[in-house]
Amino acid sequence: DIQMTQSPSSLSASVGDRVTITCRASQGIGSSLAWFQQRPGKAPKSLIYAASSLQSGVPSKFSGSGSGTDFTLTISSLQPEDFATYYCQQYNSYPITFGQGTRLEIK
Amino acid sequence: EVQLVESGGGLVQPGGSLRLSCAVSGFTFSDHYMDWVRQAPGKGLEWVGRTRNKANSYTTEYAASVKGRFTISRDDSKNSLYLQMNSLKTEDTAVYYCARSVVVAAPYLDYWGQGTLVTVSS
């Protein structure tokens, strides 16, 4: 199985800040990488697919990059609604696997 | 508007069975692969399995943790996805989400339901 490791596991930031979350795959996955946002008590929401493509309706403050084994999610100009948990997911091979999540908290 | 609505969750004893349903609307269900993903209380996301579409013979994939115990099926005429869960264990306690897959080079999850809670306890 491909292991997905996110860093950091938690992150404190202020409104207006720009933050970056990293996701590393245990083996190469090309660009088959997605990012999801999950607010407390809610279902995950798709943000990014194919490592850097923005899901329809998602604001451009979210951006993704990377390929192979190393990927990043960057969120600019943080707003209160952005404080949530973020997950990366590889869909290059079965079983599909998720990172452990990064909890973004308000400083 | 794309909508996915899960139902069928509840309390079940270890060793028991439960069948979850996911009713969809707002898109052509028969065109899409569909997935189940679960989340144990306070934990991260775990992929459960996938059913492909008719064009791909409705073939399925499962996580090792549920293979042989869980079965994913679908009824395209009813726009519905199912998860039959047998021989349930306490570690299967989780919120179960159905999710739509869309193929862009490879299938990824783009829309999720709100989830249904399954509690396995005596």
Side-chain angles (χ1 to χ4, degrees):
Chain A
D1 298 4
I2 297 175
Q3 307 303 315
M4 306 300 292
T5 305
Q6 291 181 229
S7 60
S9 293
S10 63
L11 176 59
S12 292
S14 300
V15 172
D17 283 355
R18 179 174 182 261
V19 298
T20 296
I21 299 169
T22 297
C23 180
R24 175 164 288 174
S26 61
Q27 59 187 270
I29 59 170
S31 296
S32 298
L33 190 282
W35 289 97
F36 299 92
Q37 176 194 66
Q38 187 177 34
R39 297 188 176 112
K42 299 297 185 181
K45 173 187 174 184
S46 174
L47 298 175
I48 300 283
Y49 65 95
S52 61
S53 296
L54 200 63
Q55 179 68 24
S56 176
V58 173
S60 59
K61 62 189 300 181
F62 294 93
S63 62
S65 66
S67 66
T69 60
D70 294 310
F71 302 86
T72 60
L73 172 70
T74 299
I75 313 169
S76 62
S77 187
L78 284 170
Q79 297 301 305
E81 61 269 22
D82 300 328
F83 292 92
T85 299
Y86 292 85
Y87 294 92
C88 64
Q89 178 218 43
Q90 69 80 20
Y91 54 94
N92 181 72
S93 64
Y94 295 105
I96 292 168
T97 47
F98 291 88
Q100 81 279 14
T102 295
R103 185 175 179 182
L104 177 57
E105 301 173 319
I106 298 177
K107 187 182 290 184
Chain B
E1 179 190 7
V2 172
Q3 288 194 323
L4 300 90
V5 180
E6 302 92 339
S7 61
L11 176 63
V12 60
Q13 292 187 336
S17 298
L18 205 60
R19 188 197 197 204
L20 305 184
S21 299
C22 172
V24 314
S25 60
F27 64 98
T28 304
F29 178 66
S30 57
D31 286 347
H32 288 267
Y33 296 11
M34 296 294 297
D35 291 50
W36 289 97
V37 177
R38 67 183 180 183
Q39 186 169 38
K43 302 298 184 182
L45 300 170
E46 180 188 17
W47 179 76
V48 172
R50 164 174 288 167
T51 175
R52 297 181 180 87
N53 55 14
K54 182 178 181 180
N56 289 278
S57 305
Y58 298 126
T59 52
T60 53
E61 305 284 348
Y62 295 96
S65 58
V66 306
K67 195 169 186 178
R69 299 188 299 124
F70 289 13
T71 301
I72 297 173
S73 61
R74 61 192 292 164
D75 186 337
D76 289 354
S77 68
K78 295 182 178 179
N79 286 347
S80 292
L81 174 73
Y82 305 102
L83 179 65
Q84 177 66 45
M85 304 184 292
N86 299 331
S87 302
L88 281 161
K89 306 175 181 179
T90 56
E91 53 263 40
D92 295 319
T93 294
V95 174
Y96 284 75
Y97 297 99
C98 63
R100 185 181 85 164
S101 290
V102 59
V103 178
V104 177
Y108 76 95
L109 309 181
D110 65 345
Y111 284 95
W112 299 58
Q114 85 290 346
T116 188
L117 176 62
V118 173
T119 303
V120 184
S121 174
S122 55

